[in-house]
Each structure stands twice: as structure tokens, then as C-alpha cells.
Amino acid sequence: MALRTIQRKLREIDRHSRRVERNAFDRAQSVAFVLALLVSPFVVLMMERVRVVDEATPLLAVRIYTEGASAELRARVMEGDERAKPWPGVTPYVDVDSVQRTSWFGWPFATRDVVWPTETKLTLFGPAREELREKYSALAAPLAVRAGVVHTTTTESTHFIAWAFSIGVWWCLLALASAIVISPLRLGWYVYRRSRAIVRQRRIDRSHCPNCGYNARESLLRGRCPECGAELYERPDVY
Ligand SMILES: [Zn+2]
């Protein structure tokens, strides 16, 4: 029963709704909307290449040094602002920084992120030797492992919800862009039609042919222009 009532109501609404005529611009707009919907996932995919944000987080800083007259290299984790302070009786050799680099891809939302293996950055001081880099790294490595900051694999994750939102944003942007392109054309066409309608109305007012402007006063009864054959007293198209 209820269903039938709803159907009847819907039919009534349909009958009383004003028919809106769709012109070429409306159809072009609809096509552009559908195209934007199909294209936006690929734009999101493309943005993953175009926009990459790298983030480097310092995890651990280790200093390699010798103490006093001893030639033995020692390694110690630096706490707080120890790096900037002077270390009395100590000769600094190398600062080893463990850095976690993370890359974020996509716009406006990050649709993918990659956590890279932990990188070590060496800063060599006066007495340190370039060819011993590996030895310095090896000295600092156990400290980083003990601190639990070492990440040896590449972890990649895709954010599906961000994907959905990005596609939505790109659809809106592309739809807006198509509207911005089509609107001036539509306005131009409207102005042209209006000016044509004004010209035709003026010709009708002077009993001239609305199509070619020929003075058709003598042919009014025939209803056709002797020059071009257009109908006389034709109403102008007003859009
Ligand atoms: Zn004519």
C-alpha cells in the first residue's frame, strides 16, 4: 500500500516538474564530469611521482673519540646537547648519526609512504681518516642496535582511504576546471543569441524580413520574404 502511495507521489512530482532543456553546453559538462571521474585515479597515481616529501628523523648520535693519551677508539651515545658542549680531555674523531628517512607520496593527501632502511651519516673531525669510514661505522653500529633504532628493510604502505579522498579532490578540481572552460563559451553563445534576437525583433518591428533585413512590407500577406524565402512575423529566438 505504502509503496503504491509513494509511486503515485513520485509520478505527481514528475508530472509537475518543469522540464529543463539540456543544450550542448550541459551535455559537454556532463561528459567532462564523467571524464574527470575516470581520469582522477590516474592523476592521483601521477601525483605520487610528482610530489614526494622526504622526512629525515635523527634517531641516535654516537661520538667516536680517544681519551687522554690512549689511542684506543671509544664510542658513546650522545645525550641531549652533548654534541655542542666541549668534552674535556677527549679528542673527537667522528660523529655517527643514525637517520630514519621516510618518503611520503601524493597530493593533497599522502597516498603512499616508504620507510627506508636506517641511514648512517658520518661527520669526520681532524684526526679521523677517510679510509677508515667502515671501521667507524662498525664501532657505532652495536650502539645503534642496542638502542633499537636500526631498521634494515624498506617498508612500503599504501593508504587506501587517502586514495579515495584524493580521487574525490581531483574529481572536484577537474570538474571545476571544465566548468571554468565551458562557462565563457556558454556566456558568449548567450550574448550572441540575445543580440541576434534583438536584431530580428527590430527587423520585424519595421516590417522587414527578420532573416535578411529586406523591406518586406509588400509581401506581408504572402507571409514569405521574396528575397530569401524566410517566414515573416517569425518570433525571435530568446534564450
Ligand atoms: Zn529575407
Side-chain angles (χ1 to χ4, degrees), residues 152-170:
T152 52
T153 51
T154 306
T155 323
E156 194 178 324
S157 41
T158 304
H159 310 290
F160 291 103
I161 298 195
W163 250 89
F165 279 112
S166 291
I167 288 173
V169 167
W170 278 107

Side-chain angles (χ1 to χ4, degrees), residues 208-214 216 224-230 232:
H208 289 190
C209 164
N211 189 44
C212 67
Y214 180 78
R224 289 215 169 262
C225 168
E227 275 296 301
C228 69
L232 298 175

Side-chain angles (χ1 to χ4, degrees), residues 7-19:
Q7 279 177 333
R8 205 189 62 231
K9 280 285 166 203
L10 283 176
R11 266 202 304 277
E12 250 170 54
I13 290 166
D14 194 47
R15 226 186 354 264
H16 292 111
S17 301
R18 204 163 62 88
R19 290 271 172 264

Side-chain angles (χ1 to χ4, degrees), residues 29-223:
Q29 192 74 78
S30 305
V31 169
F33 282 178
V34 173
L35 277 180
L37 195 63
L38 297 175
V39 164
S40 29
F42 295 100
V43 178
V44 173
L45 205 63
M46 203 186 70
M47 283 312 288
E48 284 197 349
R49 288 156 193 269
V50 174
R51 189 168 187 270
V52 183
V53 176
D54 275 316
E55 209 177 74
T57 317
L59 296 174
L60 191 77
V62 172
R63 176 160 285 179
I64 294 167
Y65 58 97
T66 57
E67 206 159 9
S70 162
E72 191 203 344
L73 286 173
R74 293 156 180 269
R76 189 158 73 77
V77 174
M78 286 190 277
E79 310 279 356
D81 58 349
E82 267 189 298
R83 190 201 293 267
K85 282 184 185 162
W87 292 28
V90 162
T91 313
Y93 269 61
V94 187
D95 277 357
V96 182
D97 290 280
S98 301
V99 177
Q100 181 59 64
R101 199 159 65 80
T102 312
S103 304
W104 302 87
F105 299 84
W107 190 89
F109 302 105
T111 45
R112 194 160 59 90
D113 73 69
V114 177
V115 181
W116 304 98
T118 312
E119 288 171 9
T120 49
K121 212 180 89 218
L122 277 71
T123 314
L124 276 63
F125 298 118
R129 301 224 311 269
E130 195 64 40
E131 62 270 27
L132 292 180
R133 275 178 169 273
E134 278 187 24
K135 189 188 165 190
Y136 300 138
S137 301
L139 265 171
L143 295 176
V145 171
R146 204 179 308 151
V149 297
V150 181
H151 183 87
T152 52
T153 51
T154 306
T155 323
E156 194 178 324
S157 41
T158 304
H159 310 290
F160 291 103
I161 298 195
W163 250 89
F165 279 112
S166 291
I167 288 173
V169 167
W170 278 107
W171 182 79
C172 289
L173 288 176
L174 294 172
L176 190 69
S178 73
I180 287 170
V181 169
I182 288 170
S183 299
L185 297 175
R186 176 185 284 250
L187 181 69
W189 181 241
Y190 172 77
V191 169
Y192 171 75
R193 292 305 294 252
R194 283 296 299 188
S195 60
R196 281 294 296 162
I198 290 166
V199 166
R200 291 169 86 90
Q201 184 59 64
R202 280 197 191 135
R203 285 171 177 174
I204 290 167
D205 291 347
R206 284 180 288 150
S207 303
H208 289 190
C209 164
N211 189 44
C212 67
Y214 180 78
N215 187 339
R217 210 156 287 171
E218 308 300 321
S219 316
L220 287 181
L221 283 177
R222 272 212 310 149

